[in-house]
Amino acid sequence: MFYVRAKRDVTITSLDFFGSTAKTALVQIYTRSGKYNGYEVKRDGWEVIFDKSVVQGKKTLTSLGALSQPVYIPAGSYQSFVVYTPNVLMYKPGTAEGSLSSQDMSLEFYEGIGLKDLFSGSYAVGVNVFSPRVFSGVVRYSAV
C-alpha cells in the first residue's frame, strides 16, 4: 500500500510489480483519493481498478497492461493504491512510512506499508501490517 502526489495533472494507466514466485495468480489493484491513513485495513472507500488472473514471474517485472480504468490525479492531489496478489509481492525496506521515496517531473512516490491480509480489519503491526515498505514496481502514467 502506498500513495503518490501529482505535481501536475496525470493519469495512472498501469502498475507493474515484482513477485516472489513464478505462477498464475489473481491480481487486484485498489485505489482511493487522498492518503490511505485510517483505511489500511478497511475496505471502505477503496475502488477496484484491476481484477484478473495474471502470469507472474519470479523476481522479474510482471507487466499487467492497462488498468480496467485509468486513474486521473489532479496536480497537488494525493492518490493511494493497494496491489494485492496471494503470491508474495517483493518490496524494498523503507526508512519511514510517508517519507518521499522518489520523484520525477510529474509524480512523487511515498513509502508505504505491506499487508499480509487484504482489508482484514486488524492493524497488528508485525503480524498483518509491515512498515515501512517501498513498493517494488513501476507506476505507469501519462501527463495530462
Side-chain angles (χ1 to χ4, degrees), residues 83-115:
V83 179
Y84 170 78
T85 180
N87 190 12
V88 177
L89 290 175
M90 296 186 74
Y91 62 86
K92 298 172 197 158
T95 55
E97 182 183 352
S99 292
L100 182 64
S101 176
S102 61
Q103 64 181 316
D104 64 14
M105 297 288 292
S106 302
L107 210 57
E108 295 174 342
F109 180 85
Y110 291 85
E111 294 184 20
I113 61 173
L115 297 172

Side-chain angles (χ1 to χ4, degrees), residues 2 4 11-16 73 81 104 107 109 135 137-142:
F2 63 91
V4 298
T11 299
I12 306 297
T13 57
S14 184
L15 294 170
D16 301 338
I73 310 171
F81 295 91
D104 64 14
L107 210 57
F109 180 85
F135 173 69
V138 178
V139 178
R140 299 192 189 278
Y141 68 90
S142 60

